[in-house]
Amino acid sequence: MGRAIRTVSWSAGLLVLLVAVVVASAALGAVRIEPSVVTMAILNRVVLPSGITAGSSVIPGTGIAVPLPNVQYTSVFSFDVPSSHQTIVTDIRLPRIALAATVGFSLAAAGTVMQGFFRNPLADPSIIGVSSGAAAGAVAAIAFPALVPFGGLHLAAFVGALGTAFLVYAIATEGGRTPVATLLLAGVAIQAFLGAMISYMLVYSGDNLRQAVVWMMGHLSNSNWGDVAFALPVTVVGVAILLTYTREMNVLLLGEEDAHHLGVNVERTKLLLLALASIVTAAGVAVAGVIGFVGLVVPHMMRLLVGPDHRILLPTSALAGASFLIATDTIARLGTLSLPFGIAVDTPVVPVGIITAALGAPFFLFLLTRREVHSV
């Protein structure tokens, strides 16, 4: 009972923090908007289904009409907000904020699972080559679009990430068993190979070199609701399923032999955790590029606060990751960092991956100097 109360308390507190960070981020920019106006603008976009009418859609190239329902929606709120502010908040800033929250949520959740899976405090979502696979797919779609005719950049990155994860798993599996050490070494080898392939593609990318490099740095610029629609369902479903396996994650921390004696199907659980963590990571990386340190630092930070129990650690890390990436992306897009006592520091408008690395690396070194990074 105490654990459930702690989980709800921490999750509720972090959810409140997430809402506050969303409102603050949407208020900041070239045009400053009052937080109260931001809140009303967001609420104006809350809708509920009000009816369903019959409709149809024609399948391209066939002329066949398929019956489809048309759902009608009605706005719940109608606050008086200037149209310019409404557009800035809901059409320009909110898609980027929503994508940052989704990607931060996915990377922090996947990092928590990977650290527990490998029982290694240095593990992160990219440890088995998921990020490298996504980067290879994305760079291939940018540099040689004729070779990647299906679905464009996002889908190419997603397929590359998942393909790499399952290739590493297949290489490391022998006789129905997948030793964690072999899985880690296979991941390192595949990452090195993909790094060479990415470098080769960058050399021959021509005018597309800058786009490819910016994508590999991790960015949220030009985000839209389509990006959110691509990543959010996969992330939510994946993390929801992972939450049902938090007991197994705790037992695996004792070691595979002990977990087997306690009734855990070790190999099946390892495959499922690896697959789900890879899918969740792929969803985030596919839309935002390679963003480092979110999946490494945030789980450590929350482990210091809530302890190693994954039943509490996983949901709180995911929520904290969402707030962390929104905050760092706000710094990345503003160009000015406001500090206490009226101090303002000019910062270049850069990809968010640079900001997460600039903030995450010193923080991780601080934890190391305090001997706060332990085995998990």
Side-chain angles (χ1 to χ4, degrees), residues 23-49:
V23 172
S25 179
L28 297 174
V31 177
R32 299 298 175 95
I33 303 174
E34 290 295 323
S36 59
V37 177
V38 169
T39 303
M40 291 188 291
I42 294 174
L43 291 175
N44 281 344
R45 286 293 184 264
V46 177
V47 296
L48 290 176

PDB file of all heavy atoms in Angstrom, residues 23-49:
ATOM      1  N   VAL A  23       3.341  25.023 -19.917  1.00  0.00           N
ATOM      2  CA  VAL A  23       2.794  26.383 -19.958  1.00  0.00           C
ATOM      3  C   VAL A  23       3.921  27.404 -20.032  1.00  0.00           C
ATOM      4  O   VAL A  23       3.858  28.363 -20.819  1.00  0.00           O
ATOM      5  CB  VAL A  23       1.897  26.639 -18.731  1.00  0.00           C
ATOM      6  CG1 VAL A  23       1.484  28.105 -18.664  1.00  0.00           C
ATOM      7  CG2 VAL A  23       0.665  25.743 -18.772  1.00  0.00           C
ATOM      8  N   ALA A  24       4.978  27.217 -19.223  1.00  0.00           N
ATOM      9  CA  ALA A  24       6.090  28.162 -19.233  1.00  0.00           C
ATOM     10  C   ALA A  24       6.795  28.174 -20.580  1.00  0.00           C
ATOM     11  O   ALA A  24       7.147  29.240 -21.107  1.00  0.00           O
ATOM     12  CB  ALA A  24       7.082  27.807 -18.124  1.00  0.00           C
ATOM     13  N   SER A  25       6.997  26.992 -21.166  1.00  0.00           N
ATOM     14  CA  SER A  25       7.665  26.927 -22.463  1.00  0.00           C
ATOM     15  C   SER A  25       6.836  27.593 -23.544  1.00  0.00           C
ATOM     16  O   SER A  25       7.375  28.314 -24.401  1.00  0.00           O
ATOM     17  CB  SER A  25       7.935  25.460 -22.830  1.00  0.00           C
ATOM     18  OG  SER A  25       8.564  25.366 -24.090  1.00  0.00           O
ATOM     19  N   ALA A  26       5.509  27.370 -23.530  1.00  0.00           N
ATOM     20  CA  ALA A  26       4.641  27.974 -24.544  1.00  0.00           C
ATOM     21  C   ALA A  26       4.544  29.489 -24.374  1.00  0.00           C
ATOM     22  O   ALA A  26       4.230  30.199 -25.329  1.00  0.00           O
ATOM     23  CB  ALA A  26       3.240  27.360 -24.462  1.00  0.00           C
ATOM     24  N   ALA A  27       4.829  29.984 -23.176  1.00  0.00           N
ATOM     25  CA  ALA A  27       4.764  31.424 -22.934  1.00  0.00           C
ATOM     26  C   ALA A  27       6.014  32.146 -23.421  1.00  0.00           C
ATOM     27  O   ALA A  27       5.977  33.365 -23.666  1.00  0.00           O
ATOM     28  CB  ALA A  27       4.556  31.701 -21.442  1.00  0.00           C
ATOM     29  N   LEU A  28       7.121  31.415 -23.556  1.00  0.00           N
ATOM     30  CA  LEU A  28       8.396  32.030 -23.895  1.00  0.00           C
ATOM     31  C   LEU A  28       8.655  31.955 -25.390  1.00  0.00           C
ATOM     32  O   LEU A  28       8.302  30.983 -26.048  1.00  0.00           O
ATOM     33  CB  LEU A  28       9.529  31.325 -23.147  1.00  0.00           C
ATOM     34  CG  LEU A  28       9.480  31.417 -21.611  1.00  0.00           C
ATOM     35  CD1 LEU A  28      10.565  30.556 -20.997  1.00  0.00           C
ATOM     36  CD2 LEU A  28       9.613  32.858 -21.149  1.00  0.00           C
ATOM     37  N   GLY A  29       9.285  33.000 -25.910  1.00  0.00           N
ATOM     38  CA  GLY A  29       9.615  33.057 -27.323  1.00  0.00           C
ATOM     39  C   GLY A  29       9.801  34.487 -27.762  1.00  0.00           C
ATOM     40  O   GLY A  29       9.863  35.416 -26.939  1.00  0.00           O
ATOM     41  N   ALA A  30       9.910  34.685 -29.071  1.00  0.00           N
ATOM     42  CA  ALA A  30      10.062  36.046 -29.590  1.00  0.00           C
ATOM     43  C   ALA A  30       8.892  36.927 -29.167  1.00  0.00           C
ATOM     44  O   ALA A  30       9.044  38.121 -28.914  1.00  0.00           O
ATOM     45  CB  ALA A  30      10.178  36.005 -31.111  1.00  0.00           C
ATOM     46  N   VAL A  31       7.715  36.329 -29.091  1.00  0.00           N
ATOM     47  CA  VAL A  31       6.527  37.018 -28.582  1.00  0.00           C
ATOM     48  C   VAL A  31       6.204  36.417 -27.227  1.00  0.00           C
ATOM     49  O   VAL A  31       5.823  35.245 -27.135  1.00  0.00           O
ATOM     50  CB  VAL A  31       5.323  36.860 -29.543  1.00  0.00           C
ATOM     51  CG1 VAL A  31       4.087  37.528 -28.948  1.00  0.00           C
ATOM     52  CG2 VAL A  31       5.653  37.457 -30.906  1.00  0.00           C
ATOM     53  N   ARG A  32       6.374  37.184 -26.160  1.00  0.00           N
ATOM     54  CA  ARG A  32       6.074  36.693 -24.821  1.00  0.00           C
ATOM     55  C   ARG A  32       4.577  36.753 -24.580  1.00  0.00           C
ATOM     56  O   ARG A  32       3.934  37.774 -24.851  1.00  0.00           O
ATOM     57  CB  ARG A  32       6.816  37.516 -23.766  1.00  0.00           C
ATOM     58  CG  ARG A  32       8.340  37.471 -23.885  1.00  0.00           C
ATOM     59  CD  ARG A  32       8.866  36.046 -23.707  1.00  0.00           C
ATOM     60  NE  ARG A  32      10.296  35.949 -23.928  1.00  0.00           N
ATOM     61  CZ  ARG A  32      11.214  36.003 -22.948  1.00  0.00           C
ATOM     62  NH1 ARG A  32      10.822  36.175 -21.693  1.00  0.00           N
ATOM     63  NH2 ARG A  32      12.485  35.888 -23.229  1.00  0.00           N
ATOM     64  N   ILE A  33       4.028  35.679 -24.062  1.00  0.00           N
ATOM     65  CA  ILE A  33       2.595  35.578 -23.801  1.00  0.00           C
ATOM     66  C   ILE A  33       2.401  35.233 -22.331  1.00  0.00           C
ATOM     67  O   ILE A  33       3.120  34.387 -21.786  1.00  0.00           O
ATOM     68  CB  ILE A  33       1.946  34.501 -24.701  1.00  0.00           C
ATOM     69  CG1 ILE A  33       2.208  34.813 -26.177  1.00  0.00           C
ATOM     70  CG2 ILE A  33       0.448  34.399 -24.448  1.00  0.00           C
ATOM     71  CD1 ILE A  33       1.718  33.731 -27.126  1.00  0.00           C
ATOM     72  N   GLU A  34       1.450  35.856 -21.700  1.00  0.00           N
ATOM     73  CA  GLU A  34       1.178  35.585 -20.304  1.00  0.00           C
ATOM     74  C   GLU A  34       0.775  34.117 -20.113  1.00  0.00           C
ATOM     75  O   GLU A  34       0.018  33.568 -20.922  1.00  0.00           O
ATOM     76  CB  GLU A  34       0.061  36.488 -19.788  1.00  0.00           C
ATOM     77  CG  GLU A  34       0.448  37.946 -19.646  1.00  0.00           C
ATOM     78  CD  GLU A  34       1.533  38.136 -18.586  1.00  0.00           C
ATOM     79  OE1 GLU A  34       1.495  37.418 -17.567  1.00  0.00           O
ATOM     80  OE2 GLU A  34       2.417  38.992 -18.800  1.00  0.00           O
ATOM     81  N   PRO A  35       1.265  33.460 -19.030  1.00  0.00           N
ATOM     82  CA  PRO A  35       0.892  32.070 -18.775  1.00  0.00           C
ATOM     83  C   PRO A  35      -0.610  31.834 -18.717  1.00  0.00           C
ATOM     84  O   PRO A  35      -1.097  30.791 -19.148  1.00  0.00           O
ATOM     85  CB  PRO A  35       1.563  31.769 -17.431  1.00  0.00           C
ATOM     86  CG  PRO A  35       2.737  32.697 -17.382  1.00  0.00           C
ATOM     87  CD  PRO A  35       2.279  33.951 -18.075  1.00  0.00           C
ATOM     88  N   SER A  36      -1.365  32.811 -18.184  1.00  0.00           N
ATOM     89  CA  SER A  36      -2.820  32.656 -18.119  1.00  0.00           C
ATOM     90  C   SER A  36      -3.425  32.613 -19.520  1.00  0.00           C
ATOM     91  O   SER A  36      -4.349  31.828 -19.789  1.00  0.00           O
ATOM     92  CB  SER A  36      -3.438  33.805 -17.319  1.00  0.00           C
ATOM     93  OG  SER A  36      -3.118  35.067 -17.918  1.00  0.00           O
ATOM     94  N   VAL A  37      -2.884  33.433 -20.435  1.00  0.00           N
ATOM     95  CA  VAL A  37      -3.364  33.424 -21.816  1.00  0.00           C
ATOM     96  C   VAL A  37      -2.988  32.106 -22.493  1.00  0.00           C
ATOM     97  O   VAL A  37      -3.786  31.536 -23.256  1.00  0.00           O
ATOM     98  CB  VAL A  37      -2.799  34.628 -22.596  1.00  0.00           C
ATOM     99  CG1 VAL A  37      -3.236  34.587 -24.057  1.00  0.00           C
ATOM    100  CG2 VAL A  37      -3.236  35.934 -21.947  1.00  0.00           C
ATOM    101  N   VAL A  38      -1.799  31.622 -22.209  1.00  0.00           N
ATOM    102  CA  VAL A  38      -1.365  30.332 -22.760  1.00  0.00           C
ATOM    103  C   VAL A  38      -2.314  29.225 -22.307  1.00  0.00           C
ATOM    104  O   VAL A  38      -2.745  28.383 -23.106  1.00  0.00           O
ATOM    105  CB  VAL A  38       0.077  30.014 -22.324  1.00  0.00           C
ATOM    106  CG1 VAL A  38       0.433  28.568 -22.664  1.00  0.00           C
ATOM    107  CG2 VAL A  38       1.057  30.963 -22.985  1.00  0.00           C
ATOM    108  N   THR A  39      -2.637  29.227 -21.032  1.00  0.00           N
ATOM    109  CA  THR A  39      -3.538  28.203 -20.497  1.00  0.00           C
ATOM    110  C   THR A  39      -4.898  28.251 -21.179  1.00  0.00           C
ATOM    111  O   THR A  39      -5.454  27.209 -21.567  1.00  0.00           O
ATOM    112  CB  THR A  39      -3.709  28.398 -18.978  1.00  0.00           C
ATOM    113  OG1 THR A  39      -2.420  28.358 -18.346  1.00  0.00           O
ATOM    114  CG2 THR A  39      -4.591  27.306 -18.392  1.00  0.00           C
ATOM    115  N   MET A  40      -5.437  29.449 -21.350  1.00  0.00           N
ATOM    116  CA  MET A  40      -6.742  29.565 -22.006  1.00  0.00           C
ATOM    117  C   MET A  40      -6.669  29.135 -23.468  1.00  0.00           C
ATOM    118  O   MET A  40      -7.592  28.491 -23.988  1.00  0.00           O
ATOM    119  CB  MET A  40      -7.257  31.007 -21.883  1.00  0.00           C
ATOM    120  CG  MET A  40      -7.649  31.405 -20.474  1.00  0.00           C
ATOM    121  SD  MET A  40      -8.464  33.029 -20.370  1.00  0.00           S
ATOM    122  CE  MET A  40      -7.080  34.125 -20.775  1.00  0.00           C
ATOM    123  N   ALA A  41      -5.560  29.478 -24.139  1.00  0.00           N
ATOM    124  CA  ALA A  41      -5.404  29.084 -25.549  1.00  0.00           C
ATOM    125  C   ALA A  41      -5.358  27.567 -25.687  1.00  0.00           C
ATOM    126  O   ALA A  41      -5.933  27.002 -26.627  1.00  0.00           O
ATOM    127  CB  ALA A  41      -4.149  29.723 -26.128  1.00  0.00           C
ATOM    128  N   ILE A  42      -4.664  26.911 -24.752  1.00  0.00           N
ATOM    129  CA  ILE A  42      -4.598  25.442 -24.803  1.00  0.00           C
ATOM    130  C   ILE A  42      -5.969  24.839 -24.523  1.00  0.00           C
ATOM    131  O   ILE A  42      -6.407  23.899 -25.209  1.00  0.00           O
ATOM    132  CB  ILE A  42      -3.553  24.928 -23.787  1.00  0.00           C
ATOM    133  CG1 ILE A  42      -2.140  25.372 -24.210  1.00  0.00           C
ATOM    134  CG2 ILE A  42      -3.616  23.409 -23.681  1.00  0.00           C
ATOM    135  CD1 ILE A  42      -1.063  25.041 -23.202  1.00  0.00           C
ATOM    136  N   LEU A  43      -6.661  25.362 -23.529  1.00  0.00           N
ATOM    137  CA  LEU A  43      -7.988  24.840 -23.192  1.00  0.00           C
ATOM    138  C   LEU A  43      -8.982  25.042 -24.335  1.00  0.00           C
ATOM    139  O   LEU A  43      -9.914  24.241 -24.500  1.00  0.00           O
ATOM    140  CB  LEU A  43      -8.506  25.500 -21.914  1.00  0.00           C
ATOM    141  CG  LEU A  43      -7.774  25.119 -20.622  1.00  0.00           C
ATOM    142  CD1 LEU A  43      -8.315  25.936 -19.448  1.00  0.00           C
ATOM    143  CD2 LEU A  43      -7.913  23.626 -20.336  1.00  0.00           C
ATOM    144  N   ASN A  44      -8.793  26.098 -25.122  1.00  0.00           N
ATOM    145  CA  ASN A  44      -9.696  26.327 -26.265  1.00  0.00           C
ATOM    146  C   ASN A  44      -9.612  25.215 -27.308  1.00  0.00           C
ATOM    147  O   ASN A  44     -10.511  25.074 -28.142  1.00  0.00           O
ATOM    148  CB  ASN A  44      -9.379  27.670 -26.926  1.00  0.00           C
ATOM    149  CG  ASN A  44      -9.959  28.848 -26.164  1.00  0.00           C
ATOM    150  OD1 ASN A  44     -10.845  28.684 -25.314  1.00  0.00           O
ATOM    151  ND2 ASN A  44      -9.469  30.038 -26.454  1.00  0.00           N
ATOM    152  N   ARG A  45      -8.537  24.445 -27.271  1.00  0.00           N
ATOM    153  CA  ARG A  45      -8.381  23.360 -28.231  1.00  0.00           C
ATOM    154  C   ARG A  45      -8.875  22.014 -27.690  1.00  0.00           C
ATOM    155  O   ARG A  45      -8.756  20.990 -28.378  1.00  0.00           O
ATOM    156  CB  ARG A  45      -6.911  23.231 -28.649  1.00  0.00           C
ATOM    157  CG  ARG A  45      -6.460  24.350 -29.584  1.00  0.00           C
ATOM    158  CD  ARG A  45      -7.187  24.242 -30.930  1.00  0.00           C
ATOM    159  NE  ARG A  45      -6.741  25.225 -31.894  1.00  0.00           N
ATOM    160  CZ  ARG A  45      -7.340  26.385 -32.118  1.00  0.00           C
ATOM    161  NH1 ARG A  45      -8.428  26.702 -31.413  1.00  0.00           N
ATOM    162  NH2 ARG A  45      -6.878  27.229 -33.010  1.00  0.00           N
ATOM    163  N   VAL A  46      -9.417  22.014 -26.489  1.00  0.00           N
ATOM    164  CA  VAL A  46      -9.975  20.777 -25.928  1.00  0.00           C
ATOM    165  C   VAL A  46     -11.349  20.545 -26.542  1.00  0.00           C
ATOM    166  O   VAL A  46     -12.224  21.396 -26.471  1.00  0.00           O
ATOM    167  CB  VAL A  46     -10.090  20.874 -24.393  1.00  0.00           C
ATOM    168  CG1 VAL A  46     -10.748  19.609 -23.833  1.00  0.00           C
ATOM    169  CG2 VAL A  46      -8.716  21.081 -23.771  1.00  0.00           C
ATOM    170  N   VAL A  47     -11.533  19.400 -27.168  1.00  0.00           N
ATOM    171  CA  VAL A  47     -12.792  19.093 -27.845  1.00  0.00           C
ATOM    172  C   VAL A  47     -13.310  17.736 -27.394  1.00  0.00           C
ATOM    173  O   VAL A  47     -12.556  16.889 -26.902  1.00  0.00           O
ATOM    174  CB  VAL A  47     -12.625  19.107 -29.379  1.00  0.00           C
ATOM    175  CG1 VAL A  47     -12.250  20.482 -29.879  1.00  0.00           C
ATOM    176  CG2 VAL A  47     -11.591  18.073 -29.815  1.00  0.00           C
ATOM    177  N   LEU A  48     -14.611  17.546 -27.576  1.00  0.00           N
ATOM    178  CA  LEU A  48     -15.257  16.273 -27.292  1.00  0.00           C
ATOM    179  C   LEU A  48     -16.091  15.855 -28.499  1.00  0.00           C
ATOM    180  O   LEU A  48     -16.646  16.715 -29.194  1.00  0.00           O
ATOM    181  CB  LEU A  48     -16.161  16.382 -26.057  1.00  0.00           C
ATOM    182  CG  LEU A  48     -15.469  16.561 -24.698  1.00  0.00           C
ATOM    183  CD1 LEU A  48     -16.515  16.743 -23.603  1.00  0.00           C
ATOM    184  CD2 LEU A  48     -14.580  15.364 -24.379  1.00  0.00           C
ATOM    185  N   PRO A  49     -16.183  14.556 -28.772  1.00  0.00           N
ATOM    186  CA  PRO A  49     -17.038  14.106 -29.884  1.00  0.00           C
ATOM    187  C   PRO A  49     -18.493  14.512 -29.640  1.00  0.00           C
ATOM    188  O   PRO A  49     -19.014  14.345 -28.540  1.00  0.00           O
ATOM    189  CB  PRO A  49     -16.870  12.583 -29.868  1.00  0.00           C
ATOM    190  CG  PRO A  49     -15.609  12.333 -29.120  1.00  0.00           C
ATOM    191  CD  PRO A  49     -15.494  13.438 -28.115  1.00  0.00           C
TER     192      PRO A  49
END
